[in-house]
Amino acid sequence: MTPVTRRTFVGGAMAAALAVGGGAGRAAAATRAAAAPPNLAAARAAIQRLSGLDPSRFALSTLVAGAGETDAFQISRVGEQVGIAGSSTVALLSGFNWWLKYVARGHLSANGDQLQLPSTLPTPATPIRMSTELAERYAYNFTFFGYTSPYWQWPDWERELDFLAINGINRALTLIGQEIVWYDTFRDFGMSELEVRQWISMPAHQPWQWYGETTGYDLDASGYSGPVSVEFLHKRRDLGQQIVARMRELGITPVFPAFVGHVPDEIFASRHPGTHIPAQKDYAGHPRPYWLDTTEALYPEVARRFYEAQRTHFGSTTHFSNDLIHEVGDDLPDYLDGANLGDAAVAVQNALEEASPGAIWLLQGWQSNPRLEILNAVDENRVIVLDLDSDDDRKWEDTEAYWGVPWCWGSIQNFGGRLGMFGNLGEPGQTFPRVRTRPERRRLVGCAWVQEGLHQNPIVPDLLGEMMWRRSAVDLSTWVRDFAIRRYGSDDANAIKAWDILRRTAYSYVSTNHTTGEGPFESAFQAMPDLNLRSVSMFGPDEFRYLPEEFEPALPALLAVAPALRSKPTYKYDVVDVTRQVLANRGRLLLDKIREAYEAKDRTELARHSNRFLTTIDQTERILGTHPQWMLGPWLEQAKTWGTTADEKQLIEWNARSMITIWTEEAFGTLREYANREWHGLLSSYYKPRWQRFLTDLPATMASGKQPEYGDWLARGDAWSQQTELHRTTPAADPYTVAADIAAALAADPL
């Protein structure tokens, strides 16, 4: 690679520290100097919330981190108590989680807990001490707030924040309620109250507004546009305040969105003639917000009001995130419209410094961001680059560790929150520890959970959280075996066998620099019908990630576990997931058979395989209906809780339905099915009717060989997204019973 040079701000004592101790050593020293002591009361409360255990059974205390450490915990026996010492509240709770996993053999996850613990809590034979040199342990892609959590209420967030803490996270992006900052700010710059509310998007699409990619003025666009109500803004603000208050209790730094110049379109520009506020191009068919050139005299005034409103509602913080211009590629000059990128970045950093002296600006390492012009211009000691895709694209290597600025190794893995058993365990489990010791890492200061959607594939966050504290690589065969034992609370041979199969198939993906697509090989059921189907979403894989026949034995192995395990919440989730994946793989193979029969003009086989395909959809619907996390109903009902009036409830439901199907009318050509879901209710009411229509019409086109084409898929999708029919929110049957029945049916009808 051709060497690149970059202007640097390191000098004097800072340069000496870098020369002697390296970037990680300097970061460790700075963090130790600034770290707050652990909040023992908050840690006790979190332990009780998570486990139900009496916190008095734990002796919690403060631990001083040592040389080369930014955080540490120790587990030991203290009299009759489990002793946990930590250098921070997050470290204490991470110590509790380590004790639960490796001493008590319990398990916590977003997809079921296993807390069958002995009455006398076990303690380690010798003290266990773990530490990390990583000062910045960050959570959340902006899109998480659209694909996973747009409609969560406090109980969901309370559990989530505890889960972040036990997995070592000490920085977390928070967008909930931040839209009220826009509301307060822009009304002070010539806009009416209604005009601002019309600009603010509905919850599921709001992350892209923070990115500067969509705008609520795109009226009636699939239930994402404004106006939002004042009541809605206040409800979101109130929840946001709860979230940041709990973050601070737990020692998690809230990361607030930065103001980088996105403003309410032509209306704002028309109120400020003579100021450089260029229109931006589109994003997936959507007009972007206009951009207030940050080098203009008006920008610091607006930024000052923005950060003042943010501070009023949510208090102060030290970390802010947003990119100047996101996902624009080679079109950057058109967006800047003559502005200088480096000068614009300096203006953003100056506004942050005025609002919060010493503030850290988090930039996303994604596609062409951040550009060298930005990093050459800003104070490098007040930026951190989040390399979103270290486990696949490895942008940090292509940029010589972001040209020497502080950066975090990140894991994205999941795109659009798409469901499907998939994960890359090798990169965090084996590559990441090696990266942490390579000289080429330069100023590696942390790691980042930046999945686009969460709360699936529970093995992935379990390993990611652990690797923040591990300094060396794990043997994945041994580690996955231990995971299976903890997850079910039993050394069950069949459970271990099932998870070893999953390790060698679904979780065996290795880095390919995106040459094979993003995320899991998607189920055909969610696709717009096509006999030559490759990927379902535009950016998905176009072939199997593993041999489906090697995955299939995971189901009989999981069904053969001891009967006592079948009632475990963890098992119930997993048996649904594995059964669903077997059926999804079968659907892909059946589609191949349908195509072969069609090309051979064999009507009998075409009809037989078409019926088998539709039956497989029905079987999938049946197994999904046995678990609430695999159902459409909870997503819709939770969305409606944010509405105050019947009309507002319907609008937010429209927003929820659009996101997981057409995305929006404008983005249909690019982003339809990007957030596809295998959910009970969605499969039967939306996906299956499309395939029924196609397969019914298919035989009539056999002579011509030109399969049916339809010009109304968008209209049908938009009509479905505006429906209001109710869907079940509670399971109708036992997962094991249904899974066993389906497995027997599949065995009787092999492909």
Side-chain angles (χ1 to χ4, degrees), residues 149 161 187 196 199 288 321 354 367 375 399 479 504 737:
S149 64
L161 298 176
R187 285 187 298 149
V196 180
W199 183 69
R288 292 178 183 245
S321 182
E354 180 183 331
Q367 295 185 3
L375 299 182
T399 58
W479 189 90
R504 291 184 281 107
T737 303

Side-chain angles (χ1 to χ4, degrees), residues 118-266:
S119 56
T120 300
L121 298 184
T123 55
T126 58
I128 299 170
R129 192 181 193 283
M130 304 296 293
S131 69
T132 182
E133 83 286 11
L134 302 171
E136 307 287 332
R137 305 185 301 275
Y138 172 90
Y140 298 144
N141 196 304
F142 275 67
T143 62
F144 163 77
F145 294 87
Y147 291 138
T148 299
S149 64
Y151 311 115
W152 283 2
Q153 297 284 3
W154 175 241
D156 308 291
W157 276 109
E158 183 170 53
R159 165 71 185 212
E160 178 73 6
L161 298 176
D162 288 344
F163 188 69
L164 291 185
I166 65 171
N167 282 285
I169 297 296
N170 66 348
R171 318 276 188 244
L173 180 66
T174 175
L175 297 183
I176 301 300
Q178 290 280 332
E179 59 268 42
I180 203 165
V181 178
W182 284 328
Y183 181 67
D184 285 357
T185 299
F186 295 129
R187 285 187 298 149
D188 285 353
F189 290 89
M191 297 187 65
S192 73
E193 186 264 357
L194 177 59
E195 285 171 339
V196 180
R197 288 194 290 111
Q198 286 176 324
W199 183 69
I200 298 173
S201 298
M202 286 288 137
H205 292 83
Q206 204 177 93
W208 291 268
Q209 191 167 19
W210 284 108
Y211 273 149
E213 292 180 327
T214 61
T215 165
Y217 285 151
D218 204 1
L219 298 178
D220 297 323
S222 312
Y224 91 95
S225 58
V228 297
S229 70
V230 175
E231 292 80 8
F232 170 84
L233 291 173
H234 289 166
K235 287 166 68 175
R236 298 271 290 182
R237 176 206 58 198
D238 293 348
L239 177 58
Q241 290 174 343
Q242 282 186 285
I243 291 168
V244 297
R246 180 56 57 79
M247 283 183 175
R248 292 178 178 120
E249 283 181 25
L250 296 175
I252 299 172
T253 302
V255 178
F256 291 163
F259 178 63
V260 294
H262 304 134
V263 295
D265 305 10
E266 187 176 2

Side-chain angles (χ1 to χ4, degrees), residues 534-612:
R534 303 296 287 176
S535 65
V536 176
S537 59
M538 177 170 284
F539 309 105
D542 59 8
E543 59 184 21
F544 276 104
R545 297 291 200 188
Y546 50 82
L547 295 175
E549 61 268 26
E550 293 182 359
F551 179 93
E552 195 163 340
L555 179 55
L558 201 57
L559 291 171
V561 303
L565 272 60
R566 299 171 191 166
S567 61
K568 302 264 186 177
T570 47
Y571 177 84
K572 289 183 176 183
Y573 180 89
D574 293 346
V575 78
V576 172
D577 201 2
V578 171
T579 305
R580 176 210 55 75
Q581 190 64 59
V582 166
L583 292 168
N585 293 348
R586 180 181 175 91
R588 280 283 190 167
L589 298 174
L590 282 169
L591 187 60
D592 289 342
K593 292 185 177 295
I594 293 170
R595 186 187 66 256
E596 291 165 2
Y598 181 77
E599 292 173 349
K601 303 189 187 308
D602 188 332
R603 289 182 176 274
T604 300
E605 286 297 281
L606 179 64
R608 184 169 81 90
H609 294 310
S610 294
N611 288 334
R612 295 171 89 194

